[in-house]
Amino acid sequence: MLSDLQPSVQSYADVISRVTGIDVEIVDSNMVRVAGTGIYADSVGQNLARAGEVYKEVMRSRKTIQVDTPRHHAICGRCPDREKCREHFSLSTPIADETRLFGVIGLVCFNDEDRARILASLDSYSAFISFLADGLALKIGERGRLIQATRMLDLMLQAADIPGLGIVLFNIDGSLLYANSPARDLLGEDAGRSMSVSGIQRCDGGVYGYEEYEVKTPDGRVHNLPGRMMDLDCGGDGKSMMFVFELPTRLARLAGNINSHSDEAGFDNLIGSSPALEALKSKAIQVADSGSTVLITGESGTGKELLARAIHNAGPRKNAPFIAINCGGIPDTLLESELFGYVSGAFTGASSKGRMGKFELAEGGVIFLDEISAMPLYVQVKLLRVLQERVVIRLGSNRLIPVNVRVIAASNEDLRECIKRSAFREDLYYRLNVIPLDMPPLRQRTGDVPILANFFLDKYCALFHKRRPRLRASMLRLLEKYTWPGNVRELEHVLEYAVNMMPADGAIGIDCLPAKLLEDVRRLETENAPQAPPLPVQAASAGQIVPLAQLEERAIRAALETFGRSTEGKKNAARALGLSLATFYRKIRFFSI
């Protein structure tokens, strides 16, 4: 056990040597030199079992032994190195308590002058090293008892099966006695060791029926934790304290804010091998380890949340919460409290227990803000402050709560168009658009359609316990012709429908597809059929001949100026011109509008 405290043991040896002016060595019960000064300093770790006869006798008798005449003393007669011994005097004292022997402190003189000085005040020197030996034994004993108590407490907590709870025990004087593994993981191993009860302050109010505490660690970090502080009776007048708190990850699960399939979502779940998708995945993988804010854009059904989950699970926050919130699916009046939480009595209908917001529940992890364009302007102002200062304020409170959360936002609308019509804050857009990622629509990934179709076919055949058929080439050609305005989500639903409609012989034909899809495919084929080149026409107002293509380009530009370039605006423009949405997109690309 002396070796476990080697730095402290060496300090004892240094103190003795400085006070006495004599070389000192300390050996443990296995006859290994644990500490030494002077000529012994360079041989710490040496085993003395071959020649340390005096120390063996001290450990056997548990008494202090002085050797006035080394080489001629009776004990030295058993030493094989007696003739080479350079010692002139030694004073050796056991390090022991009532039940255990830990080692020996040896005071050794190598000249007659030091020997005479020790003998002149032998009682004082004997008392001094005996006092330090007892102090060292007490220190070792206390450490051993603390280790034993800690191990016992660990076993008790494991037996009690308390997953996800942080537990910290404090002595009567407020110093740290014990912190369990979840508490050490959250607060930090080093910070946990040096914490004191003074670093835990009760906050006003509470959440989810818990009291709430602000916990400051010695390294300057602050945690807001729901829990309980309890007094423990230690006997007599003293009381120690125990702080038990809920961990953010466990609290998020209890609040129902972590989806069970979160851990399964990785980049492998972004099915496809088209250049557009591969380039997107490569960029997303590169930024997964970052803590920077990400803005994912793309049409509805392209898989923006799946990409967000893949980024989360590929980064250092993968074991922390991933909390998704649809900003367009929550009433404006409730979105603020959902994101930032509230205290008791904050508004009519608020829970008397108060609630943590999604930002607090996502502590250490990722919050995914889907349909960010639907967020009301007054909530955008608060979100901007969170991104700038990394703090939240609950409704009805003025307390700043620090949060360590990575924000990933998503939008199927062009936020720049939203800014033009004053529906989105420009400063928030630039805060969110640190790392822009654009999900390509399925019509730009035609090579991925067969891969996705087979993937969904496998999925739903297994789900519905049906034999997996082969997709015919004619079927795949038809799926590749379609422009998929609903993107991957629409393709998945089409395959689910087809598996449901699959006849008993297990063959999926075109007749298994939804009628609406077949109708759209036929219309596209008609629109794409070769047509006679347009003849020049007389422009009545200008008195000159203008090609139809130019008139068509003008009409498309005018429609876009009228209805806007958002997805909904393009749909309205196509409808006004009497074109299908796919044809309208194709003409935009053709004219480079």
Side-chain angles (χ1 to χ4, degrees), residues 327 370-376 380 410-413 415 418 423-424:
C327 301
D370 199 6
E371 295 190 32
I372 190 75
S373 60
M375 181 178 287
Q380 292 180 30
S411 176
N412 59 2
E413 288 193 74
L415 294 182
C418 295
F424 202 83

Side-chain angles (χ1 to χ4, degrees), residues 1 10 62 162 176 197 231 233 251 283 287 358 380 395 452 457 476 543 586:
M1 295 185 73
Q10 182 63 52
R62 295 202 176 196
I162 313 177
L176 181 73
V197 74
D231 291 336
D233 190 354
L251 197 62
K283 187 176 180 181
V287 302
K358 296 296 191 290
Q380 292 180 30
L395 269 68
L452 285 163
L457 188 62
L476 288 174
R586 189 167 60 253

